[in-house]
Amino acid sequence: MKQTAFYQQHRVLVIGLAKSGFAAAKLLHELGAIVTVNDRKPFEENEEAQRLEQLGIRVVCGGHPLELLDEPFDLIVKNPGIPYTNPIVKKAIEKHLPVITEVELAYHISEAPFIGITGSNGKTTTTTLIYEMLREGEKRPLLAGNIGVAACEVAQKAEANNWLVTELSSFQLAGIRDFRPHISVLLNIFDAHLDYHGTKEAYAQAKANIFKNQTNEDYAVVNADDELVMRLAENSCAQKVIFSATKKLDSGAYIKDGWIYWNDEAVIAVSDIVLPGKHNLENILAAVAVAKLTGVDNKAIAKVLTTFTGVKHRLQYIATIDGRKFFNDSKATNILATQRALSAFEKDSVILLAGGLDRGNEFDALLPYLHNVKAIILFGQTAAKIARVAKQAGIETIEYVDNVEKAVPVAYRLSEPGDVILLSPACASWDQYKTFEQRGDIFINAVHKLK
């Protein structure tokens, strides 16, 4: 870990705990900052706050009192999930206090260069592929960020010969000032998290922050098939490295004659790749580009792509029961992700499980992808909205259930041998579940109960 005196004696307010807030508060305390932690959960129910208080850190729990900002803080570190419309965050901005997220802290202390991956869909799969390729290529990668481990926690262990492979959300990227990945990846931009950012333009700009501090010594890996991504990348000073799943390129990562190419070099036959779904070809191409930029050889790349079958909750194969194949795509928290999941099974008969948090959008964009869906099981706030589109698609069997657990036996009852039973909600989980992971785990358990 880099030794820095930057935060010493700085008065820092950490708003929101969970993994990233806890890690940030603990690190800042160790760096000599005067830390106050503020979390909405009451102290007696708040294990993280109790642990921090035992370290001598001041904690204020049970709400976000605005009078906290009457104190002379130098810096605010915000949990990424807390929106900028939150009253205490708004007041901090009005007082011209810098508001950052913990990935900024990670950058300041890391001895290792960063590889930062973002996009509306495919971040976790791409991040995991890059990590596995670099690990197979003996490049000493460390995995961090939105994928489950706070970046500032991992950065403390990083050495100069590591690579910090970091999944980054728009929430995290909206709060950076100095963060500079040596290699950035922007996969795609789709309407998502508009309830948080307000507009698609604000959301896209948050994603584009991944390029913000890069120089011509860095690389920006971008999707040539996404016009908005390419437009955002025009403002980057980094060297552009493009990938395309639809057209041959003069350089970069692309597909030709059934092979994945890097520049003019054939890397692996597409038919040898075991990860399902056309949409995953974009993730694979981005990962190949990053792997080649870091010096990973084709043998290591091929070994990963011939063995890697997917990430949990992301088009994850669960089981075959009486000829029915069950797939868990709980991470499909928006329409594009469900479109891509359905495209992966366009030659199969599908029973779709969908629904969840209502963010105010409609689901007409699913219509072209429902042609092979024989039945749909709906739950959550958006059930009626998705049912309208299902009826328009000519799906005759539409069932309503209370939750994912109850959806599984209904789907089995309606299915036949050879069918695919797919959980791909097209919605966030927060109306019924704490996380998409919890929703997916409940689905998995319900499937195993059928055995």
Side-chain angles (χ1 to χ4, degrees), residues 63 120 131 148 182 190 195 198 214 236 243 246 272 330 421:
S120 298
Y131 170 79
H182 181 54
F190 178 69
D195 53 338
Q214 288 190 290
S236 170
F243 64 91
T246 64
D272 291 337
S330 185
I421 296 176

Side-chain angles (χ1 to χ4, degrees), residues 69-96:
L69 291 180
D70 293 338
E71 301 177 28
F73 289 109
D74 302 302
L75 177 69
I76 309 295
V77 179
K78 180 184 73 67
N79 183 290
I82 297 175
Y84 289 86
T85 52
N86 182 287
I88 195 168
V89 178
K90 284 181 68 176
K91 184 174 179 180
I93 294 169
E94 288 167 3
K95 291 172 70 74
H96 303 291

Side-chain angles (χ1 to χ4, degrees), residues 112-134:
F114 277 76
I115 298 170
I117 302 99
T118 196
S120 298
N121 288 292
K123 294 186 295 296
T124 300
T125 297
T126 305
T127 301
T128 307
L129 280 167
I130 291 169
Y131 170 79
E132 293 294 342
M133 289 176 184
L134 267 63

Side-chain angles (χ1 to χ4, degrees), residues 307-442:
T307 56
F308 182 82
T309 57
V311 179
K312 191 176 183 183
H313 306 301
R314 294 152 179 88
L315 213 58
Q316 175 196 10
Y317 169 72
I318 304 301
T320 298
I321 300 175
D322 298 332
R324 289 91 163 160
K325 292 182 179 180
F326 290 81
F327 287 84
N328 166 29
D329 194 37
S330 185
K331 181 60 173 68
T333 58
N334 58 46
I335 294 168
L336 178 59
T338 297
Q339 288 174 342
R340 290 179 163 183
L342 289 168
S343 295
F345 301 108
E346 60 187 2
K347 295 181 181 179
D348 298 287
S349 176
V350 174
I351 294 178
L352 177 65
L353 284 60
L357 181 74
D358 191 342
R359 283 175 160 154
N361 57 286
E362 297 294 334
F363 293 85
D364 298 80
L366 283 178
L367 192 58
Y369 299 85
L370 298 174
H371 60 89
N372 59 327
V373 174
K374 64 185 282 187
I376 190 163
I377 320 297
L378 299 170
F379 47 84
Q381 294 177 358
T382 58
K385 287 185 173 182
I386 300 175
R388 177 185 65 79
V389 177
K391 290 173 184 174
Q392 193 175 345
I395 299 172
E396 296 182 1
T397 305
I398 301 172
E399 298 268 349
Y400 298 86
V401 294
D402 293 336
N403 52 48
V404 167
E405 185 175 18
K406 292 183 178 180
V408 171
V410 173
Y412 178 82
R413 173 172 55 81
L414 296 172
S415 65
E416 298 173 315
D419 287 348
V420 167
I421 296 176
L422 170 67
L423 171 67
S424 190
C427 303
S429 60
W430 303 321
D431 58 336
Q432 294 183 303
Y433 306 101
K434 290 182 179 179
T435 62
F436 71 81
E437 290 97 338
Q438 183 189 41
R439 178 172 65 187
D441 287 338
I442 288 171

